[in-house]
Amino acid sequence: MIYHFAATAGVAALLAVAGGPLTRALQLEAKAISKSGRHGHLKPSGEGGEINLNGNKENTVLGPLTVSGSYRVIETGKNLRMRNLRIRGLVGTDLQREGIRLRGDIDGATIQNFKLSMRTEPQTAPDLPIGIAVQSGRGITISDGEVSGFQMVRVPGKYTNGDGIASERKVEDLTIVRVVSRNNSDGGFDLKSRNTKLDQLRSENNGRNYRL
């Protein structure tokens, strides 16, 4: 199944490009929203995105997609079982917290041709900003994109978060290729994953360009 999401002039549009219309069996909860300039739009629980994937899924393609002013664009649920996820052509501007957060049992995912940037105003705790947060999964490739400006307010005596791309210890076989990470208040690339491969990266003007 391949889906194309477009958000223009404040109107949410969802088009099934291939594989027919959306069905309940697919369990795809999706919306693409343009919220340019609405900095006050926050989800108090810190959960959820404009597109939320839950349940059991395979061979899912999301994009191209353009969103402005969102708290988080794409999130996979903790209980998701996903085989072969592809996110392509994602442009997120003026984001409140995150572009993408991957969680759950993910086996095979690619994120490519993306550009994600946070709002100008730094974020405050407990909302820790990250361009792409990979919390669990295996066989994940991130390529050909840019993350920038994921900043937190600096508080004396407290650690300042704010990463371009971050991965956790439950992630295995992560590849990042041809990605630029800049102007983030903590790590450009903050990677705790196992068997991580990096190639042709650029990290500049971050609190720490690389944390491995």
Side-chain angles (χ1 to χ4, degrees):
M1 306 292 284
I2 301 176
Y3 297 91
H4 171 87
F5 300 85
T8 57
V11 178
L14 172 58
L15 303 175
V17 176
L22 290 175
T23 65
R24 290 189 63 184
L26 184 64
Q27 299 176 11
L28 177 63
E29 303 167 7
K31 59 180 177 177
I33 299 177
S34 176
K35 299 174 181 164
S36 179
R38 291 179 57 182
H39 288 176
H41 179 75
L42 297 175
K43 299 177 186 295
S45 66
E47 296 288 326
E50 301 297 347
I51 299 173
N52 301 290
L53 298 177
N54 295 285
N56 297 324
K57 295 181 174 60
E58 62 181 16
N59 302 323
T60 299
V61 180
L62 300 177
L65 169 65
T66 299
V67 172
S68 180
S70 173
Y71 176 80
R72 179 186 292 118
V73 183
I74 296 173
E75 178 169 59
T76 61
K78 293 179 180 178
N79 298 318
L80 172 75
R81 183 178 182 273
M82 170 65 76
R83 300 297 177 262
N84 301 321
L85 169 66
R86 185 176 178 186
I87 301 169
R88 62 186 185 185
L90 173 60
V91 177
T93 59
D94 202 31
L95 301 177
Q96 309 299 309
R97 179 172 177 178
E98 290 170 336
I100 300 170
R101 178 160 72 166
L102 298 183
R103 306 182 296 171
D105 179 9
I106 297 175
D107 188 354
T110 62
I111 302 170
Q112 61 185 156
N113 299 324
F114 58 90
K115 188 171 184 179
L116 303 170
S117 60
M118 202 182 109
R119 68 189 193 191
T120 302
E121 178 187 357
Q123 187 55 272
T124 59
D127 292 305
L128 310 182
I130 305 174
I132 299 176
V134 187
Q135 297 187 354
S136 60
R138 57 195 173 276
I140 298 169
T141 298
I142 302 172
S143 69
D144 302 292
E146 177 181 327
V147 287
S148 64
F150 289 86
Q151 300 261 350
M152 285 200 74
V153 172
R154 298 185 184 275
V155 178
K158 293 188 177 181
Y159 190 84
T160 303
N161 289 280
D163 297 323
I165 296 179
S167 63
E168 301 301 330
R169 291 181 176 85
K170 291 183 178 180
V171 179
E172 186 172 3
D173 296 328
L174 173 66
T175 299
I176 306 177
V177 183
R178 296 181 299 277
V179 173
V180 177
S181 182
R182 57 165 62 99
N183 301 328
N184 304 292
S185 54
D186 190 12
F189 296 90
D190 187 347
L191 308 175
K192 304 179 184 71
S193 45
R194 296 171 290 165
N195 193 23
T196 302
K197 300 176 183 178
L198 309 175
D199 191 21
Q200 301 180 62
L201 305 183
R202 190 168 73 199
S203 188
E204 56 192 23
N205 198 31
N206 302 292
R208 296 172 177 83
N209 285 326
Y210 296 92
R211 300 190 66 196
L212 307 176

